[in-house]
Amino acid sequence: MPTRHAAARARTPPEARGSAPFALLGAFVALVLAGPPAHAQTLGEVVLVSAIGSQLHGVSALPSGSLRAEGPGAAALIARLPDAANWTDWEVFTARGIVMALENALVHSVETELMVAGIGRVSRDESTFGDERHVRFVFEGEGRRVLLHVIRGGDSLVWLLARAR
């Protein structure tokens, strides 16, 4: 005796069995395209900010392709910076090759995230030491101070993040 499921399958023409998922997909795409783009953009921004926020250190999020530097080399780099003793919770990151071209995008990303948190840039200082260009950004707001120090050398890009003591 055939089961109820087998009887239902026997009544459905074979050409219609595989088209149901495509019909649902088509309806979903039509619904998305018919909706106002502003809502989709807002939803996208909320999802992006939530995703970034879920992986944030206390200072900021950084590009996922960057390499976190730890150990004596990172400590020596921090010690070279002026007034390093006034800052804590250091994070040191480095990038080489084509990622170095993302320096402006990196600074913009960090600055935007801090502005969303109510922390605005109060200073930007640039200097050169040998073949290295140092750019120091200080952000303040919401009772916090954050330092972003970017060092661009011949073949590397290093950025350091810290919060004030």
Side-chain angles (χ1 to χ4, degrees), residues 12 15 25 42 49 62 77 82 127-128 131:
T12 306
E15 63 274 5
L25 179 62
T42 302
V49 169
L62 297 167
L77 189 61
S127 56
T128 303
D131 65 342

Side-chain angles (χ1 to χ4, degrees), residues 14-16 18 21 24 26 29 39 53 59 66 79 82 87 98 102 106 109 112 120 132 153 160:
E15 63 274 5
L24 288 173
V29 169
H39 293 299
V59 178
S66 57
W87 303 93
I98 196 161
L102 299 175
L106 163 78
S109 175
T112 301
E132 294 179 342
L160 303 96

Side-chain angles (χ1 to χ4, degrees), residues 9-27:
R9 185 182 306 162
R11 283 182 268 154
T12 306
E15 63 274 5
R17 283 187 209 142
S19 64
F22 294 112
L24 288 173
L25 179 62

Side-chain angles (χ1 to χ4, degrees), residues 108-151:
H108 178 74
S109 175
V110 170
E111 189 166 22
T112 301
E113 291 171 18
L114 291 171
M115 287 175 60
V116 167
I119 304 170
R121 181 171 60 171
V122 294
S123 69
R124 178 189 185 278
D125 300 310
E126 187 169 338
S127 56
T128 303
F129 299 101
D131 65 342
E132 294 179 342
R133 181 177 56 91
H134 291 242
V135 184
R136 177 187 175 95
F137 300 90
V138 177
F139 302 89
E140 288 183 5
E142 301 292 322
R144 296 185 288 174
R145 290 187 70 202
V146 177
L147 170 70
L148 168 63
H149 193 104
V150 180
I151 303 170

Side-chain angles (χ1 to χ4, degrees), residues 5-128:
H5 182 65
R9 185 182 306 162
R11 283 182 268 154
T12 306
E15 63 274 5
R17 283 187 209 142
S19 64
F22 294 112
L24 288 173
L25 179 62
F28 177 75
V29 169
L31 181 64
V32 168
L33 293 175
H39 293 299
Q41 180 181 359
T42 302
L43 178 60
E45 290 170 354
V46 167
V47 169
L48 177 64
V49 169
S50 298
I52 290 171
S54 68
Q55 58 181 323
L56 281 180
H57 175 271
V59 178
S60 182
L62 297 167
S64 60
S66 57
L67 301 173
R68 184 170 183 170
E70 296 179 347
L77 189 61
I78 293 167
R80 285 182 23 196
L81 300 179
D83 80 338
N86 295 336
W87 303 93
T88 187
D89 292 337
W90 286 95
E91 290 196 47
V92 180
F93 295 86
T94 184
R96 293 185 182 278
I98 196 161
V99 180
M100 290 176 51
L102 299 175
E103 177 181 356
N104 292 334
L106 163 78
V107 171
H108 178 74
S109 175
V110 170
E111 189 166 22
T112 301
E113 291 171 18
L114 291 171
M115 287 175 60
V116 167
I119 304 170
R121 181 171 60 171
V122 294
S123 69
R124 178 189 185 278
D125 300 310
E126 187 169 338
S127 56
T128 303

